[in-house]
Amino acid sequence: MQDRTYTADAEPGEDATVAGWVHEIRDLGGIAFLILRDSTGKIQIKFEKDEMDEELVEAGLGVSRESIVSVSGVVEEEPRAPTGVEITPTSLEVIAEAEPELPLDPSGKVDAEISTRLDNRTLDLRKPEVQAIFEIRAVVLSAVRDAFREHRCTEITTPKIVATGTEGGTELFPITYFGEEAFMNQSPQLFKQLIAGSNVERVFEIGPIFRAEEHNTPRHLNEATSIDFEGAFCDAHDAMDVAEAITRAAYEAVAENCADELETLGLAAEFALPEESFPRLTYEEAIERINATGELDEQLVWGDDLPTEGEKALGEDVGTHYFITEWPSEIKPFYIMDDADDDQLSTGFDMMHPRMELVSGGQREHRYDHLVSGFEQQGLDPVEFEYYTKMFKYGMPPHAGFGLGGERLLMTMLDLDNIREAVLFPRDRQRLSP
Ligand code: AMO
């Protein structure tokens, strides 16, 4: 729209045209105000009923909430107005009228269920606290990209339609691809390794991953955003250093650029940067510490995966971001390399927030023979993965990497109860549209 002034830029003394949503109408009798909202804030439009054109007053005060209007007039200083300025209109156009009955109240005065909110995301996102989450999400993704670039990484994008799964067969979404069975990719795992093995060496990807998880929990999605790293000549410790740096960079960018959003979310006072370096516990230490909390009905034994309550108990005990290293080989995927000295142990690691797992990673098996026998041990047919294994015959450097759950990063950073708060249009068991 030509000559449109954002409400935040309206300066006293100017003739301006503002356009946006009708936030509220306050009728005080002889004088009334229309509060107009746009992406930058709100502005007060003043109607002095006896002194103004009747049609203009009727148009301005008769319009339903959330309708789109454009208003032209002189901007004046008014200390009593919410932003210190107001507009006395000379013309007003109703561009798109909103139905008077709204499925949810964008002013937030009336609470709505999460399902109503997600069904009406456009209205939901008119609330400042919801908009703040997605503003922060954009800042996080941008900071993550910059931080990877500083770590000499090249951004890649890899196929989401694939012939085979990599992260466990039961979590695959099958699709039909020209009459043949294909799947939605669970992770860019194999592709990022194939590129780390080229001259590119260090790569990252931010993209969707698809998991046909049966369980509907506050921290699982069926389509999530994975922040992936893979680096040639890296071991698990190097990959952990990168995971730590990326996480800190995200927090630092939010602290630096999102003061208003944090204020809106009520987090300004408590928002803290993670520690410089996160404690690194071995898996064995982790299960000992969980058992020592006495929070679990049954003691964990070596080889068990960590149950959610175990993660929670350990998180409370540690109290900061931390890593769990040296997982048993048998509970890590085929592409994770075993420890050089003990093949019961793997180089796999998880990075945890006190509330939940954020990252999985590890050094990869780059030795062709070991890789192929790993497939067989996990009941996978190496022939199906030949496009991948073949490249390990032509000079594959040692390499390591990780996958960081983007929504979990936001969920834990902003203390959200439900991961769906961090996704515009979440996909879960109940939700395939919008
Ligand atoms: P993993 O399967 O552990 O590892 O996934 C990595 C991280 O992605 C996030 N995540 C999810 N977030 C929300 N809903 C889900 N259903 C979901 N599934 C995963 C988590 C998790 O820690 N290829 C390996 C990574 C690697 O080794 O590089 C992988 O995908 O935060």
Side-chain angles (χ1 to χ4, degrees):
M1 211 176 137
Q2 267 188 347
D3 301 329
R4 175 186 171 212
T5 302
Y6 281 108
T7 58
D9 300 336
E11 294 289 341
E14 279 178 356
D15 250 330
T17 297
V18 291
W21 291 259
V22 175
H23 185 67
E24 201 181 349
I25 290 171
R26 291 190 202 134
D27 199 335
L28 310 177
I31 193 166
F33 301 106
L34 182 159
I35 310 297
L36 181 138
R37 189 185 73 233
D38 66 13
S39 61
T40 66
K42 297 188 201 103
I43 198 160
Q44 172 168 301
I45 317 291
K46 181 172 71 178
F47 294 88
E48 283 167 312
K49 292 184 191 168
D50 294 341
E51 286 164 38
M52 284 168 68
D53 177 64
E54 210 172 304
E55 258 178 52
L56 179 65
V57 173
E58 263 174 36
L61 302 183
V63 67
S64 53
R65 275 173 58 211
E66 297 303 316
S67 294
I68 307 292
V69 295
S70 118
V71 181
S72 302
V74 184
V75 185
E76 284 153 18
E77 230 166 297
E78 172 50 73
R80 286 167 297 179
T83 55
V85 294
E86 66 181 9
I87 293 181
T88 304
T90 49
S91 71
L92 180 146
E93 186 193 348
V94 178
I95 297 174
E97 205 154 349
E99 285 189 13
E101 285 290 316
L102 300 172
L104 67 82
D105 174 16
S107 79
K109 285 182 193 138
V110 185
D111 277 343
E113 296 280 336
I114 181 106
S115 61
T116 309
R117 293 179 42 211
L118 295 175
D119 285 343
N120 299 281
R121 251 320 194 191
T122 308
L123 291 173
D124 188 44
L125 262 157
R126 293 180 189 170
K127 293 188 252 176
E129 67 277 17
V130 180
Q131 206 186 324
I133 295 174
F134 291 96
E135 204 49 55
I136 292 175
R137 182 179 160 118
V139 168
V140 163
L141 293 181
S142 160
V144 162
R145 284 199 162 86
D146 290 346
F148 275 124
R149 293 299 284 166
E150 276 173 29
H151 282 80
R152 307 175 81 106
C153 296
T154 302
E155 181 161 7
I156 57 168
T157 51
T158 61
K160 304 306 157 206
I161 301 176
V162 292
T164 51
T166 53
E167 313 292 333
T170 53
E171 293 176 5
L172 276 167
F173 281 117
I175 57 165
T176 306
Y177 191 69
F178 302 115
E180 284 192 29
E181 185 173 57
F183 304 97
M184 301 304 293
N185 206 2
Q186 294 167 303
S187 132
Q189 183 62 39
L190 305 189
F191 295 113
K192 63 178 180 170
Q193 287 188 254
L194 290 176
I195 305 308
S198 75
N199 234 51
V200 179
E201 287 201 25
R202 293 167 72 90
V203 296
F204 77 98
E205 174 163 3
I206 301 176
I209 56 169
F210 302 91
R211 305 281 172 105
E213 315 251 10
E214 290 292 329
H215 36 300
N216 218 359
T217 80
R219 58 190 181 152
H220 284 94
L221 293 162
N222 294 109
E223 178 175 347
T225 309
S226 187
I227 299 170
D228 275 87
F229 163 76
E230 203 65 31
F233 305 100
C234 285
D235 64 15
H237 290 280
D238 300 322
M240 284 190 266
D241 291 345
V242 177
E244 213 167 68
I246 296 301
T247 305
R248 265 190 73 87
Y251 273 80
E252 276 164 5
V254 171
E256 205 175 306
N257 303 304
C258 303
D260 291 349
E261 286 78 10
L262 291 173
E263 182 74 44
T264 302
L265 290 168
L267 296 173
E270 69 207 56
F271 192 80
L273 299 183
E275 316 261 303
E276 278 290 341
S277 77
F278 308 165
R280 297 181 185 187
L281 274 60
T282 64
Y283 164 86
E284 194 166 349
E285 287 164 346
I287 56 172
E288 276 166 16
R289 277 177 76 160
I290 293 171
N291 286 339
T293 64
E295 290 289 328
L296 299 193
D297 294 338
E298 258 182 67
Q299 295 271 292
L300 294 173
V301 294
W302 205 89
D304 286 344
D305 212 343
L306 303 189
T308 308
E309 319 83 74
E311 277 180 13
K312 194 166 162 269
L314 184 58
E316 274 167 21
D317 193 22
V318 179
T320 62
H321 286 82
Y322 63 101
F323 287 97
I324 305 176
T325 64
E326 295 182 25
W327 285 78
S329 310
E330 64 185 40
I331 52 175
K332 283 288 171 189
F334 63 87
Y335 50 77
I336 299 280
M337 191 183 240
D338 287 344
D339 185 283
D341 302 320
D342 180 352
D343 65 5
Q344 298 295 301
L345 296 182
S346 76
T347 62
F349 63 83
D350 285 359
M351 190 186 90
M352 314 291 294
H353 177 275
R355 284 176 68 194
M356 72 191 76
E357 176 199 312
L358 299 182
V359 168
S360 284
Q363 183 169 349
R364 318 309 187 180
E365 182 52 78
H366 67 282
R367 298 161 299 179
Y368 179 82
D369 296 342
H370 287 74
L371 186 65
V372 170
S373 61
F375 273 105
E376 284 158 355
Q377 274 163 25
Q378 281 201 5
L380 295 165
D381 181 2
V383 176
E384 279 185 22
F385 292 90
E386 213 183 323
Y387 70 92
Y388 165 74
T389 54
K390 203 168 73 177
M391 293 302 136
F392 287 67
K393 294 186 198 171
Y394 309 128
M396 182 59 73
H399 58 284
F402 64 80
L404 160 63
E407 287 81 15
R408 288 196 183 178
L409 176 63
L410 279 157
M411 180 185 180
T412 50
M413 176 186 277
L414 303 180
D415 203 18
L416 307 174
D417 290 334
N418 191 325
I419 197 165
R420 290 159 187 76
E421 298 275 3
V423 196
L424 286 172
F425 299 107
R427 290 288 168 262
D428 64 27
R429 279 307 294 272
Q430 270 84 44
R431 193 164 282 279
L432 190 53
S433 66

